Amino acid sequence: MIIKSFEAKKAKFSNFKLILLYGNNKGFKEEVLKSMILKGFLGEITRYEEAEVLDNKETLFESFANKSLFDDEKIIIISRSSNKLVNFIEDFIEKNLARVQIILNADNLDKKSKLRTLFEKDKNLVCITFYEDNFQDLNILAKKFVN
């Protein structure tokens, strides 16, 4: 499912097990991540790079399945995501781990990208595109700030 970046405030991200954030606007991506997705989350947040996930796939799935005494829920943020993670995502969906949410942070993805296609076509997965700001967007932001 595709959510436009300007509609992100309306979305209830806790309903989705997998979220893909992609595009070149890193500042806006971080703002949405902190202020809308992670806001109010009290569980464990862990960050990984794509290479770490691919190298330690089985160990990660074991750690996802282990129940912590202190945290009920986990959010895993995977940076520099690419098509190499498609098999990992499919395995995660298949295992249906209840208390784990995965957020993939990727740079610009091609229209033909397997990762992007997977997230756009599945109703249980969500993706948000973050395009570079253009002159018109910056002008609107400046006007809001001045007012």
Side-chain angles (χ1 to χ4, degrees):
M1 172 190 308
I2 302 170
I3 295 179
K4 304 289 183 190
S5 57
F6 59 87
E7 297 173 334
K9 291 180 183 176
K10 300 175 190 174
K12 183 147 172 87
F13 291 105
S14 59
N15 293 342
F16 298 100
K17 303 298 289 167
L18 290 155
I19 301 169
L20 172 64
L21 309 175
Y22 71 94
N24 292 329
N25 196 337
K26 293 181 173 130
F28 190 33
K29 228 190 296 187
E30 280 299 314
E31 181 183 328
V32 167
L33 182 64
K34 289 178 184 173
S35 66
M36 294 175 212
I37 299 174
L38 300 178
K39 184 178 182 180
F41 181 75
L42 301 174
E44 177 185 348
I45 299 172
T46 311
R47 294 180 182 265
Y48 294 102
E49 295 287 327
E50 179 189 60
E52 292 176 287
V53 171
L54 294 173
D55 291 343
N56 303 312
K57 183 177 168 181
E58 293 305 319
T59 308
L60 284 174
F61 279 128
E62 288 174 17
S63 73
F64 296 165
N66 291 340
K67 195 169 189 173
S68 172
L69 295 173
F70 305 106
D71 297 318
D72 286 341
E73 298 177 354
K74 297 178 184 180
I75 289 183
I76 310 300
I77 301 172
I78 303 173
S79 299
R80 299 182 189 169
S81 300
S82 70
N83 288 331
K84 296 176 186 176
L85 284 175
V86 170
N87 291 334
F88 174 81
I89 297 304
E90 290 170 345
D91 290 346
F92 178 79
I93 294 168
E94 193 175 293
K95 291 184 188 294
N96 196 20
L97 299 169
R99 303 171 296 103
V100 180
Q101 182 180 35
I102 294 181
I103 300 169
L104 302 173
N105 188 349
D107 288 333
N108 214 10
L109 294 174
D110 270 346
K111 197 105 168 121
K112 296 178 184 179
S113 166
K114 290 179 183 178
L115 186 63
R116 180 176 167 179
T117 304
L118 175 68
F119 275 82
E120 287 177 351
K121 293 190 178 190
D122 194 326
K123 296 285 184 203
N124 298 319
L125 311 178
V126 66
C127 67
I128 306 173
T129 305
F130 295 91
Y131 296 109
E132 283 290 329
D133 290 329
N134 58 25
F135 181 73
Q136 183 179 6
D137 294 337
L138 294 174
N139 193 16
I140 292 168
L141 288 172
K143 283 181 182 178
K144 284 182 182 179
F145 178 75
V146 170
N147 289 338

